[in-house]
Amino acid sequence: MQAVIFSGIPASGKSLYYRRHFATSHVRINLDTLGTRRLEAELLEECLQSRRPFVVDNTNPTPADRRRYLDPAMEAGFTVAGYYFMSTPRASIARSLARTGADVVPPWAVHRSYKKLQPPGASEGFHELTVVRLMPDGTFSTVRIHP
């Protein structure tokens, strides 16, 4: 079974990538839609117990944030892939401002996340790591950096 952990600032393409590449095969674990860490933890546990593949579609800017999902997934025997969504604050803010309603992320939130961001590394224990860039034409560029 596969667990996928996304990392990247808001509006860097994480949810779009999930919809295009994982929506038919992996459960989406997303704090914004679930609303509370308790519900998020329950869905994670359900996926682990039922051996269902899942994607954690959150910003996960630090190794400690990613550990919350990585350790339990590895203990349950999942293969864990990390996807780092590389973006600049300027590009993410521009994408966000093109959104409507609750999907708009305030610029301060993008900057706050960017300041905390520590890109994932192989030393965290990922079985594989991929860097993803959302291109201006709406396509994605991906480069596997580990193994």
Side-chain angles (χ1 to χ4, degrees):
M1 282 299 105
Q2 184 186 45
V4 177
I5 301 172
F6 286 174
S7 179
I9 62 177
S12 59
K14 297 179 302 296
S15 295
L16 180 61
Y17 194 86
Y18 170 81
R19 287 192 299 275
R20 289 188 186 169
H21 298 275
F22 292 108
T24 61
S25 59
H26 290 63
V27 173
R28 181 176 182 235
I29 298 176
N30 178 266
L31 185 59
D32 290 340
T33 57
L34 293 168
T36 68
R37 287 282 182 201
R38 182 185 60 77
L39 290 175
E40 181 190 58
E42 288 174 6
L43 182 54
L44 174 63
E45 186 60 28
E46 178 183 316
C47 289
L48 295 172
Q49 292 297 321
S50 64
R51 316 248 338 119
R52 293 172 65 196
F54 63 90
V55 172
V56 179
D57 178 10
N58 293 334
T59 58
N60 297 314
T62 69
D65 294 314
R66 297 184 285 271
R67 275 257 93 67
R68 171 184 294 124
Y69 314 102
L70 195 140
D71 288 344
M74 292 189 77
E75 289 169 13
F78 281 66
T79 299
V80 184
Y83 282 71
Y84 170 54
F85 289 78
M86 187 177 282
S87 184
T88 64
R90 170 180 255 155
S92 288
I93 290 168
R95 279 192 291 275
S96 176
L97 293 177
R99 298 173 174 178
T100 60
D103 290 334
V104 177
V105 179
W108 63 263
V110 173
H111 285 290
R112 182 181 66 192
S113 182
Y114 186 75
K115 286 179 184 175
K116 291 183 356 182
L117 184 63
Q118 299 171 46
S123 64
E124 292 179 50
F126 290 101
H127 294 101
E128 61 184 64
L129 275 172
T130 301
V131 174
V132 182
R133 288 189 180 102
L134 178 55
M135 306 308 285
D137 66 358
T139 62
F140 288 96
S141 169
T142 61
V143 177
R144 171 90 56 90
I145 59 170
H146 171 74

